[in-house]
């Protein structure tokens, strides 16, 4: 049975929904590139494998679980719009 990811728990880890979307999408792209590199062993990939144990094979679900377990974080470069 699949486990559901609670948006409220995810929002405690980030400062906004936009941040969550950008963070999870970026990590999901990295995971997809990693999984694709396993299919083509001659292609070099510098991305890290999944950082959490999960039965899911979907990169976005894995990325959300990594955020929930504090395996993936972010750092603000600027505060607000100038």
């Amino acid at each position: 049975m699949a486990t559901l990811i609670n948006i409220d728990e995810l929002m405690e880890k980030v400062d906004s929904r936009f941040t969550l979307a950008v963070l999870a999408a970026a990590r999901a792209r990295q995971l997809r590139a990693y999984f694709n590199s396993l299919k083509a062993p001659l292609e070099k990939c510098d991305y890290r494998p999944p950082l959490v144990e999960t039965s899911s094979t979907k990169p976005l679900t894995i990325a959300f679980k990594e955020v929930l377990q504090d395996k993936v974080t972010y750092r603000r470069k600027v505060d607000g719009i100038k």
Side-chain angles (χ1 to χ4, degrees):
M1 175 182 240
T3 59
L4 297 177
I5 297 174
N6 189 344
I7 188 71
D8 295 327
E9 292 175 8
L10 284 168
M11 290 304 297
E12 292 174 3
K13 305 293 182 179
V14 294
D15 60 353
S16 70
R17 288 180 187 250
F18 178 75
T19 301
L20 177 61
V22 171
L23 180 63
R27 180 61 180 143
R29 282 191 296 273
Q30 291 174 356
L31 289 167
R32 187 179 59 222
Y34 171 77
F35 290 137
N36 286 339
S37 73
L38 295 177
K39 296 175 187 172
L42 298 178
E43 189 176 313
K44 186 174 187 307
C45 180
D46 294 328
Y47 298 118
R48 294 169 60 186
L51 304 173
V52 295
E53 293 292 324
T54 181
S55 59
S56 179
T57 58
K58 297 182 180 184
L60 190 57
T61 302
I62 296 169
F64 281 144
K65 289 184 179 190
E66 289 178 347
V67 170
L68 274 175
Q69 295 182 15
D70 293 324
K71 303 286 184 177
V72 177
T73 59
Y74 69 98
R75 182 173 16 140
R76 286 263 175 233
K77 292 184 180 180
V78 291
D79 293 326
I81 299 172
K82 294 182 180 184

